[in-house]
Amino acid sequence: MPTFQKLVATRLSPHFRDVAEIVTEDVPDPGPGELLVRTRYAGVTATDVNIAAGRYSSSPTLPLDLGAETVGVVEAVGDGVDGFAVGDAVGTVGMGGYREMQVVKAMQAVPLPEASTEMVSLFVSGLTASIALSVTGEMTTGETVLVTAAAGGTGQYAVQLAHLAGNTVIGTCSSEEKMELLRAIGCDRPVNYREESLEDVLKVAAPRGLNLVYECVGGEMFDTAVRALAVRGRLVSIGYIGEYVDGVESVTGPRIYAHLLQKSASVRGFFLPHFARHYPEHLARLTGLLAEGKLKIEVDPTEFVGLDRVADAVEYLHGGTSRGKVVVRFD
């Protein structure tokens, strides 16, 4: 019986390396309506530590499958499946992305042009930015948009999509190298938060306030952005990477409505799986922009190959030096 390997958490903790373990299982056959997919690439996400901590279930069952984003190729097709064939490239999002093989429901697999690192980035990070900005954030044109962690896996798309929509884009990052990347992809005002005060920059760069914020850092960055919202400004929270490992900080201060009410402003949460019906439309748009040369994809050049390098990749991402999407390759 052929086997495959996957990564699981044997206990719950946000310290990924401490709980991750490689296990071996038999390769399953796809049932009716299912696909057997061989993983080619897995996307590394900030939320991997949340998965390892069991934060997405009220009663997580151990061992817990780790990972969330994969791009692979179809190895076998179950009965009653139309529209997929062996060899097709597909993307999946959900629990259990760090594995060599997986069975998925065909209706949950997203057809992709190819299995590549670029498609890993485009599939989840690109979709997150596109849907969060346009659907949840109701982005228009002529607005001032702030993107935090703007040189990261999803931030790079938010910058470009906001720029393409005709907006003024401000983006935060942590190094001069990342500032250069942001300038190259259309960011009007990159901000190295280690060298400059974001609050001071916004007073000059956005004197009327921020119309839209794409926020994934949390903590003081989130607080600063909320205070800087314009009248009817919208902040879309897609995460809070700064507090994933140590947990959400308890703060004492005025409740958030004290900042929102007088401006008719709003804070809106975004979790990609809740917007699955929007995937085809937005993926088609993103691949179209890529084909037209209007969209650049930055994949971090640091190479991670195999399940035994996943913990290294997760720690590398949380170390703050990555540029673009961090990817693990499966041979």
Side-chain angles (χ1 to χ4, degrees):
M1 183 78 178
T3 61
F4 75 99
Q5 292 186 316
K6 67 177 184 178
L7 205 61
V8 302
T10 53
R11 57 188 176 86
L12 301 179
S13 170
H15 300 286
F16 190 94
R17 184 184 297 275
D18 294 344
V19 301
E21 180 179 325
I22 298 174
V23 298
T24 301
E25 293 186 354
D26 293 335
V27 175
D29 293 321
E34 295 180 333
L35 303 172
L36 175 64
V37 179
R38 179 179 296 276
T39 304
R40 294 298 189 203
Y41 305 96
V44 181
T45 73
T47 201
D48 282 331
V49 298
N50 288 331
I51 296 172
R55 291 171 178 160
Y56 293 129
S57 172
S58 58
S59 55
T61 301
L62 294 174
L64 183 67
D65 289 346
L66 296 175
E69 306 175 1
T70 68
V71 165
V73 295
V74 176
E75 288 279 309
V77 179
D79 292 338
V81 174
D82 294 320
F84 291 98
V86 172
D88 285 353
V90 296
T92 64
V93 58
M95 305 302 261
Y98 293 133
R99 57 172 62 207
E100 295 170 337
M101 305 282 287
Q102 64 176 320
V103 167
V104 299
K105 294 185 182 300
M107 63 183 298
Q108 295 175 340
V110 178
L112 297 174
E114 61 182 6
S116 65
T117 56
E118 289 76 15
M119 285 300 109
V120 177
S121 175
L122 194 76
F123 170 53
V124 176
S125 297
L127 279 180
T128 297
S130 182
I131 300 171
L133 287 174
S134 63
V135 178
T136 304
E138 300 178 282
M139 183 173 67
T140 59
T141 191
E143 297 190 303
T144 300
V145 180
L146 170 67
V147 179
T148 63
T154 187
Q156 62 173 312
Y157 291 102
V159 168
Q160 294 179 81
L161 293 173
H163 172 74
L164 288 170
N167 296 306
T168 298
V169 186
I170 304 167
T172 69
C173 64
S174 60
S175 69
E176 182 58 38
E177 181 184 24
K178 293 181 181 181
M179 298 245 310
E180 292 176 4
L181 168 64
L182 294 183
R183 294 187 188 100
I185 61 175
C187 184
D188 298 283
R189 180 56 166 95
V191 182
N192 182 342
Y193 64 83
R194 291 179 175 170
E195 302 291 337
E196 300 180 276
S197 162
L198 176 61
E199 187 169 11
D200 290 344
V201 169
L202 293 178
K203 289 176 182 177
V204 177
R208 297 183 180 179
L210 299 167
N211 304 109
L212 179 59
V213 180
Y214 187 81
E215 215 291 294
C216 57
V217 175
E220 181 57 34
M221 192 80 75
F222 173 90
D223 295 340
T224 297
V226 168
R227 291 193 297 269
L229 285 172
V231 172
R232 300 184 70 178
R234 296 92 61 204
L235 184 150
V236 180
S237 174
I238 69 156
Y240 43 95
I241 185 174
E243 297 177 284
Y244 282 169
V245 174
D246 295 329
V248 178
E249 180 186 5
S250 295
V251 296
T252 301
R255 288 197 167 96
I256 195 168
Y257 47 62
H259 299 289
L260 303 178
L261 185 60
Q262 62 183 339
K263 298 178 181 178
S264 296
S266 61
V267 173
R268 309 170 183 187
F270 178 87
F271 188 53
L272 182 62
H274 295 158
F275 296 82
R277 69 183 180 88
H278 295 279
Y279 291 1
E281 173 192 350
H282 286 261
L283 189 59
R285 181 188 176 221
L286 290 168
T287 53
L289 290 172
L290 182 64
E292 295 170 13
K294 295 180 179 179
L295 193 65
K296 299 177 182 178
I297 298 178
E298 183 79 9
V299 175
D300 191 280
T302 306
E303 189 170 75
F304 300 97
V305 181
L307 288 172
D308 58 352
R309 293 299 311 280
V310 170
D312 294 333
V314 171
E315 291 175 355
Y316 174 70
L317 174 65
H318 279 272
T321 59
S322 61
R323 198 175 102 158
K325 186 68 177 177
V326 180
V327 175
V328 175
R329 190 180 87 238
F330 290 75
D331 288 333

